Amino acid sequence: MKTGIYFRTLFLIVLTSLVGACTTQVSYNRVYLGNPSLSGMVPLSGKAALVISQSDQDYVFSGSPTSFTGGGTTLNIPLGEINREAARLVFDDLFQDGVEVIAQRPTSTGYAAIIEPTVGNYQYSYNQLKNLGFAITPEAMLSVQVSLVNENTEIVFSKSYDSGLRSGDSYMLSTEPTERISEMTHGLFVELLTMAAKDFHLELMKQQD
């Protein structure tokens, strides 16, 4: 009986911290990206350029969740840095000589491809309603626009990749609920950029035919 009261009290304390007003900063975490693999794909020759403006690399999302739970809190998460590192990790396997991150479109044609990954929409929430108030489910939604640019700086292929609303594992107690959101977000970037890499591989193979 005392144990049940103890855990209910802890849950209320954690819930109160989410509802209360505060700002939390999370950081890019390489571990959260995992080790994605483009298995079955033959790497393309040459090196590709990942073009991400410095302002996009420095972009930090700052906002509250869409849920009532945590509505008084603000999360700062470096989406620009996560996008850059996830894109570097995923597309590096697509080319024999890897990729190079640059801040503006190159004026020379020394790259096998020029790829521009851009962060689109993002939101997150702490869904307590689906668990009848006894647990919290972290949720996030992300979209990424990825474009393929030719040597004349013309966009020859562009597509938006949208995760839709995704749910993580529910929990009753967590001293770091924002880290759960961060981990989910890192994973969504890898998933969407892997989809883009597969599409780009097909597109580049067509151009070589």
Side-chain angles (χ1 to χ4, degrees), residues 143-175:
S143 66
V144 178
Q145 183 80 29
V146 190
S147 301
L148 180 64
V149 181
N150 65 17
E151 62 273 12
N152 298 317
T153 69
E154 300 170 332
I155 295 177
V156 295
F157 181 82
S158 185
K159 186 175 179 179
S160 179
Y161 298 85
D162 194 326
S163 69
L165 187 63
R166 297 294 187 84
S167 298
D169 294 333
S170 299
Y171 59 89
M172 289 190 65
L173 297 173
S174 176
T175 57

Side-chain angles (χ1 to χ4, degrees), residues 61-194:
F61 171 87
S62 181
S64 300
T66 58
S67 56
F68 171 76
T69 302
T73 65
T74 299
L75 172 65
N76 294 335
I77 180 169
L79 296 186
E81 183 180 6
I82 300 171
N83 175 53
R84 182 191 67 209
E85 296 307 316
R88 192 203 307 267
L89 181 66
V90 170
F91 283 98
D92 197 61
D93 279 346
L94 197 60
F95 299 91
Q96 291 179 1
D97 297 325
V99 297
E100 179 181 0
V101 177
I102 56 179
Q104 57 186 358
R105 291 178 181 176
T107 55
S108 64
T109 58
Y111 294 101
I114 302 170
I115 301 167
E116 297 182 345
T118 306
V119 179
N121 296 321
Y122 177 74
Q123 68 179 53
Y124 71 99
S125 60
Y126 302 102
N127 192 330
Q128 190 184 9
L129 296 177
K130 70 184 298 182
N131 303 297
L132 301 178
F134 292 102
I136 295 173
T137 301
E139 297 176 333
M141 181 168 64
L142 173 71
S143 66
V144 178
Q145 183 80 29
V146 190
S147 301
L148 180 64
V149 181
N150 65 17
E151 62 273 12
N152 298 317
T153 69
E154 300 170 332
I155 295 177
V156 295
F157 181 82
S158 185
K159 186 175 179 179
S160 179
Y161 298 85
D162 194 326
S163 69
L165 187 63
R166 297 294 187 84
S167 298
D169 294 333
S170 299
Y171 59 89
M172 289 190 65
L173 297 173
S174 176
T175 57
E176 296 183 319
T178 53
E179 279 300 317
R180 292 174 178 260
I181 296 294
S182 178
E183 184 174 6
M184 282 188 65
T185 303
H186 280 68
L188 290 179
F189 269 108
V190 169
E191 179 182 330
L192 297 182
L193 291 168
T194 297

